[in-house]
């Protein structure tokens, strides 16, 4: 039989905590399936030609996209501050109030350059490279949110293709493992990795970052191998915040000390057996159920062994549920 008691707000504690899981997929078929859904795209700068849906090249191994639109979207979302300004702080001007609105004066730069939010993955300031020449290409690896959770764990992304191996440096950069040169960027909270160049030193110049610098120009074959090759391997760790709810079920010393179990009732006499009327008798708790306000059973907690209720002190049972 059951007895009921209502929770107070102080009896319920919700605690968030982060869990991580590592994934490794070898071969394109292992991560492009419907249950995984990691897609790879080739973006290409085709702005010099008119957009034609019937003839523009398509990319993507799961969800088809236009190469032109992939390039333009990545450029706008993640690199618009870096095309000319190398991540410079937003231009701003100071207002000197006058006697009236007409007398107000703006002092300083009022240019629009650098006024975009490009989802920086670090507080460090350094140059990003994005190819802008005609017909240049970028590679995009898109990991679905169902796989990476809240974000990809920094320092966990590694991708190997016939042209080499790239990894993230924990600050949002992709680095060519063979020579430690940066070759793109990763956006942990979006599950997006962008390969922007070949990872080898060249004409890009002095964009130093620690001991690494950007390679120059875009090597289409380098990017194509990561985007289209079948013998590739991807490794990363996901991060997901889950919430543990703790319910504190407390029976006071004067509560629930009588059993409602019908087996202690004499069938012929309709009164409890003598052992159940002794002052030493104490009912045992074996199960705790959680109900909503409409008396619908939502969860059941089983104790590892029967617990006697105490007539002299409070009895508290803690139930933890992860969600």
């Amino acid at each position: 039989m059951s007895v009921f008691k209502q929770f107070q707000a102080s009896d319920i504690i919700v605690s968030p905590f982060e869990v991580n899981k590592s994934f490794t997929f070898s071969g394109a078929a292992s991560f492009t399936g419907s249950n995984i859904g990691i897609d790879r795209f080739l973006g290409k700068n085709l702005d010099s030609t008119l957009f034609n849906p019937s003839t523009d090249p398509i990319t993507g191994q799961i969800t088809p996209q236009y190469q032109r639109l992939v390039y333009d979207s990545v450029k706008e979302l993640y690199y618009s501050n870096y095309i000319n300004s190398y991540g410079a702080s937003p231009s701003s001007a100071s207002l000197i109030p006058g006697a009236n609105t007409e007398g107000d004066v703006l002092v300083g730069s009022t240019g629009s350059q650098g006024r975009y939010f490009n989802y920086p993955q670090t507080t460090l300031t350094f140059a990003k490279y994005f190819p802008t020449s005609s017909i240049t290409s970028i590679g995009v690896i898109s990991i679905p949110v169902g796989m990476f959770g809240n974000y990809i764990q920094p320092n966990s992304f590694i991708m190997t293709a016939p042209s080499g191996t790239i990894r993230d440096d924990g600050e949002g950069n992709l680095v060519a493992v063979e020579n430690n040169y940066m070759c793109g960027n990763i956006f942990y909270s979006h599950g997006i990795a962008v390969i922007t160049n070949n990872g080898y030193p060249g004409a890009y110049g002095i964009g130093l970052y620690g001991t690494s610098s950007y390679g120059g120009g875009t090597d289409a074959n380098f990017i194509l191998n990561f985007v289209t090759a079948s013998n590739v391997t991807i490794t990363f760790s996901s991060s997901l915040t889950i919430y543990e709810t703790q319910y504190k079920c407390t029976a006071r010393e004067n509560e629930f000390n009588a059993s409602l179990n019908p087996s202690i009732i004499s069938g012929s006499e309709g009164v409890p057996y003598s052992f159940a009327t002794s002052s030493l008798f104490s009912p045992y708790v074996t199960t705790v159920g959680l109900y909503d306000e409409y008396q619908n059973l939502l969860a059941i907690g089983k104790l590892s062994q029967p617990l006697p209720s105490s007539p002299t002190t409070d009895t508290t049972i803690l139930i933890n549920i992860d969600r």
Side-chain angles (χ1 to χ4, degrees), residues 19-316:
V19 294
N20 309 116
K21 180 177 176 59
S22 178
F23 296 92
T24 298
F25 301 102
S26 296
S30 69
F31 58 78
T32 57
S34 58
N35 60 329
I36 304 298
I38 299 177
D39 211 346
R40 296 177 291 167
F41 303 97
L42 182 70
K44 188 167 290 187
N45 184 13
L46 300 174
D47 284 344
S48 59
T49 61
L50 294 177
F51 177 60
N52 188 334
S54 62
T55 60
D56 260 33
I58 299 292
T59 183
Q61 302 183 16
I62 300 175
T63 305
Q65 303 287 343
Y66 292 103
Q67 294 182 11
R68 175 200 306 267
L69 300 185
V70 170
Y71 176 92
D72 291 341
S73 297
V74 168
K75 177 182 176 182
E76 181 68 22
L77 278 174
Y78 303 123
Y79 293 93
S80 53
N81 271 3
Y82 295 84
I83 302 303
N84 297 309
S85 61
Y86 300 101
S89 300
S91 302
S92 61
S94 300
L95 176 67
I96 301 177
N100 48 46
T101 304
E102 290 74 17
D104 293 347
V105 178
L106 280 176
V107 177
S109 173
T110 58
S112 63
Q113 191 177 54
R115 291 186 180 274
Y116 308 99
F117 184 74
N118 288 148
Y119 302 96
Q121 303 300 297
T122 178
T123 56
L124 299 176
T125 299
F126 54 89
K128 287 182 182 179
Y129 170 72
F130 190 80
T132 57
S133 301
S134 179
I135 315 300
T136 54
S137 301
I138 61 170
V140 179
I141 295 90
S142 176
I143 300 173
V145 67
M147 294 297 299
F148 69 81
N150 295 337
Y151 59 89
I152 296 174
Q153 279 282 319
N155 284 311
S156 71
F157 180 86
I158 301 174
M159 187 172 183
T160 301
S163 54
T165 298
I166 58 177
R167 62 172 178 83
D168 80 284
D169 66 351
E171 299 289 349
N173 300 295
L174 294 178
V175 179
V177 171
E178 288 76 13
N179 52 28
N180 206 38
Y181 277 84
M182 290 191 291
C183 59
N185 302 94
I186 183 169
F187 302 90
Y188 302 111
S189 58
H190 292 180
I192 296 291
V194 182
I195 307 172
T196 58
N197 71 324
N198 59 14
Y200 289 90
Y204 182 58
I206 58 172
L208 295 179
Y209 173 67
T211 58
S212 305
S213 65
Y214 266 107
T218 301
D219 184 341
N221 291 329
F222 179 86
I223 292 175
L224 275 174
N225 276 317
F226 284 99
V227 172
T228 62
S230 58
N231 53 335
V232 292
T233 299
I234 292 179
T235 297
F236 64 92
S237 292
S238 66
S239 178
L240 181 65
T241 299
I242 64 175
Y243 295 87
E244 181 182 75
T245 304
Q246 183 180 85
Y247 298 89
K248 184 172 69 173
C249 307
T250 301
R252 304 298 182 188
E253 60 184 45
N254 60 341
E255 295 178 324
F256 312 138
N257 288 326
S259 176
L260 298 178
N261 193 326
S263 65
I264 69 169
I265 302 297
S266 170
S268 59
E269 301 177 5
V271 295
Y273 289 110
S274 59
F275 73 86
T277 59
S278 168
S279 60
L280 298 178
F281 175 78
S282 178
Y284 283 71
V285 180
T286 60
T287 305
V288 177
L290 302 181
Y291 294 79
D292 64 14
E293 63 269 29
Y294 304 107
Q295 304 300 314
N296 296 312
L297 181 61
L298 303 179
I300 296 176
K302 291 284 189 179
L303 278 66
S304 59
Q305 60 185 24
L307 176 70
S309 62
S310 173
T312 59
T313 185
D314 295 348
T315 301
T316 299

